[in-house]
Amino acid sequence: MDLTFTFEQQQLRNSVQKMLQGCASRSQGAVSGQEVHNQLVEMAILQLAQLEEDSGVEDGMASIVAVMEELGRYRVAEPFLSTFLAARLLAPCIARQIGDIDHCLGIPGSVAIYEPGARYAFDAPSVEAQEQDTGYLLNGTKIAVSACGDPSRFIVSARISESGQENIGLFAVNAEQAGVEMINYPTIDGGQACSLLLEKVELKPEALLCRGDLAKRMITDHVQVASLLLSAEALGLMGRLLELTVEYCNQRRQFDKPIGKFQVIQHRLADLYIHCESIRSLLYAALANYAELSEDTKASIAALKFKVGELGRLAGEVSVQLHGAIGFTEEYSVGKYYKRLMVIDALYGNTDHQLQSYLLAESRSRSTTQ
C-alpha cells in the first residue's frame, strides 16, 4: 500500500498552501472562508467533485483530502466543504444534461439530509415529495443544514409516494423558491447553519436528481466522502493545535526555563503528536479502501471517524490545558480549533454511532468471508 502523495497531488497541495499563506498575509492572519472558497473555485478544485470516470482525474479523492487537511490548518473549510459535497451529488446528474459543468459546480450549495429526531438515519427521510402532474410537491423540515456562504441551492432527500409504494429521491431546491424558509443560527465553531422549512414547494420534474437504489447509493457515498473529508480537516486542525501548543510551551517560562523543558509537558506534547499520526494512518488506510465500496470500506471509515471524535476532543483538551488561562479566552485561536473538532465529531455520526457502525460492518465482513 503506497501511502505517499503523487507528484501532482503534492503540487496541488503546495499551490493551496501558497494560496492560504497569501490570504493570511493580506488579511493579517484572519483568513476569510468565503475568499478561500472563491480562490479554490478559480483553481478548478471543484472539478474533483466529479466521479473519476467523468473528470479524468486519477485518485481525485486523495487530492481533495490533501486540500482539506490544509484548509483545516487555517480553519477555513467552510463554505468550500458544503459546496464540494453538494457538487459531488450534482455532478453525475448535470454532466448528462448540460455542458457548462464548471459554472454549475461552483454555485454555493448545501446538502440537507438531517431531520428532527432522526439522528443519523439518512436513508429514511420523513420529508415527503408528492408526485403530481406538474412535478412534485415537497413538504417537511430539514435541520443542521450548513448555511456558510449563503447557499443558493440545496440537495434535499425526500420520501416519494407513488402508486401505493414509497421510494427515496434527491431533489435540487433553490433557496429563493416559493415555500422555502431558512431559519439561520450560529454554530459553536463560529459557522452558520439553518433549519429548512419546506411547505408546499412546487418542483419541476427535472428537479429530481435520482431516485430508488441509485439515490440510496449516492447518499451512502455522500456520508462516506463527508466523513473522509471532515477527518482530513480534523487532521489539519490537530496539526495546527500541536504547532500552537509547542510554540507556546517554548515561550512560556516558569522556574527560569521554558515549560517545554519539563518532562511531563514533553510527554503530553509527544502524546499529542502520536494522536495526529494515528489519525493520519487511519485516514490513509480508509482512503485506500474507499474505492472498493465494501464492508471493509465502511469499517475503515467508521474506525477513522470514531478515532477523530475521540482523539480530536482529547487533543483540544490537552492544548487548552497546556496553554493555561489564555487557552480559555474567546479571542485566542486554540479554543476555536477545539470547538471545530467538537462539531466534526457530531457531524455524520458521533463516536457512539461510529463504534456501532464499525462493529456492524466488521461482523458483515467476517460473515461474507466465511
Side-chain angles (χ1 to χ4, degrees):
M1 182 186 300
D2 186 5
L3 299 182
T4 59
F5 289 114
T6 65
F7 175 77
E8 291 79 9
Q9 290 164 353
Q10 191 58 51
Q11 287 290 95
L12 174 62
R13 184 176 191 148
N14 293 340
S15 298
V16 173
Q17 285 177 347
K18 291 180 181 178
M19 181 270 291
L20 290 170
Q21 290 169 0
C23 291
S25 63
R26 288 192 298 271
S27 58
Q28 297 181 346
V31 184
S32 165
Q34 187 61 54
E35 180 185 0
V36 170
H37 172 275
N38 296 339
Q39 293 275 1
L40 292 173
V41 170
E42 290 182 7
M43 294 169 64
I45 302 297
L46 283 174
Q47 281 287 353
L48 298 174
Q50 300 181 74
L51 300 180
E52 292 183 357
E53 58 267 26
D54 295 327
S55 66
V57 179
E58 187 177 357
D59 294 331
M61 191 53 60
S63 300
I64 197 65
V65 161
V67 171
M68 285 302 302
E69 183 181 348
E70 295 304 318
L71 297 184
R73 294 177 61 83
Y74 285 83
R75 209 169 49 84
V76 289
E78 293 288 3
F80 173 77
L81 176 59
S82 298
T83 301
F84 179 88
L85 292 174
R88 187 170 176 84
L89 285 176
L90 276 172
C93 305
I94 62 178
R96 296 190 295 266
Q97 299 174 9
I98 61 175
D100 190 8
I101 191 171
D102 292 336
H103 171 71
C104 287
L105 292 182
I107 298 175
S110 291
V111 180
I113 59 175
Y114 285 95
E115 294 186 354
R119 297 289 288 173
Y120 304 114
F122 301 124
D123 57 350
S126 61
V127 170
E128 185 177 7
Q130 296 178 338
E131 197 165 13
Q132 52 186 11
D133 295 337
T134 58
Y136 298 89
L137 195 64
L138 213 58
N139 287 281
T141 302
K142 295 291 185 179
I143 61 172
V145 183
S146 174
C148 296
D150 295 325
S152 57
R153 68 181 174 197
F154 299 96
I155 311 301
V156 179
S157 60
R159 174 169 45 88
I160 304 175
S161 300
E162 54 181 358
S163 304
Q165 296 182 344
E166 291 188 350
N167 216 330
I168 187 173
L170 289 173
F171 294 85
V173 180
N174 292 326
E176 298 180 354
Q177 198 158 345
V180 177
E181 181 182 358
M182 294 173 58
I183 301 178
N184 293 288
Y185 48 85
T187 55
I188 64 169
D189 60 341
Q192 288 287 324
C194 72
S195 294
L196 203 60
L197 307 184
L198 307 168
E199 184 176 357
K200 298 181 180 179
V201 180
E202 296 184 357
L203 300 176
K204 296 180 179 180
E206 53 266 28
L208 177 62
L209 301 176
C210 59
R211 68 195 305 168
D213 292 338
L214 177 58
K216 291 181 179 180
R217 288 198 302 271
M218 291 185 70
I219 290 174
T220 299
D221 178 76
H222 166 75
V223 173
Q224 291 183 342
V225 170
S227 298
L228 272 174
L229 299 188
L230 285 169
S231 298
E233 181 193 352
L235 177 59
L237 291 164
M238 292 171 65
R240 183 57 180 156
L241 276 177
L242 175 60
E243 291 177 358
L244 290 171
T245 306
V246 169
E247 181 181 352
Y248 179 81
C249 290
N250 287 331
Q251 293 176 352
R252 176 76 165 88
R253 299 182 67 85
Q254 191 63 265
F255 303 108
D256 296 326
K257 65 172 66 175
I259 63 173
K261 295 292 185 180
F262 295 109
Q263 193 175 51
V264 66
I265 301 295
Q266 293 174 352
H267 287 170
R268 302 298 296 276
L269 293 174
D271 288 341
L272 188 53
Y273 174 79
I274 291 172
H275 296 338
C276 292
E277 293 307 304
S278 297
I279 296 300
R280 188 183 305 279
S281 297
L282 288 169
L283 175 62
Y284 290 172
L287 191 59
N289 289 329
Y290 168 72
E292 298 178 7
L293 298 177
S294 63
E295 292 298 331
D296 289 338
T297 304
K298 296 179 182 178
S300 61
I301 292 178
L304 166 65
K305 188 66 166 53
F306 170 78
K307 296 304 287 186
V308 163
E310 182 183 54
L311 298 182
R313 182 179 293 269
L314 184 58
E317 292 173 353
V318 170
S319 299
V320 169
Q321 185 181 38
L322 292 182
H323 275 81
I326 193 175
F328 288 90
T329 59
E330 184 69 24
E331 296 80 9
Y332 200 61
S333 60
V334 165
K336 297 175 182 178
Y337 279 82
Y338 184 17
K339 289 177 181 178
R340 179 59 184 170
L341 285 168
M342 293 174 64
V343 169
I344 288 176
D345 175 33
L347 291 173
Y348 295 97
N350 58 15
T351 50
D352 292 338
H353 175 80
Q354 297 298 343
L355 181 58
Q356 294 176 1
S357 299
Y358 172 78
L359 294 175
L360 180 60
E362 276 289 292
S363 175
R364 289 175 176 173
S365 179
R366 284 196 295 268
S367 64
T368 56
T369 56
Q370 291 177 352

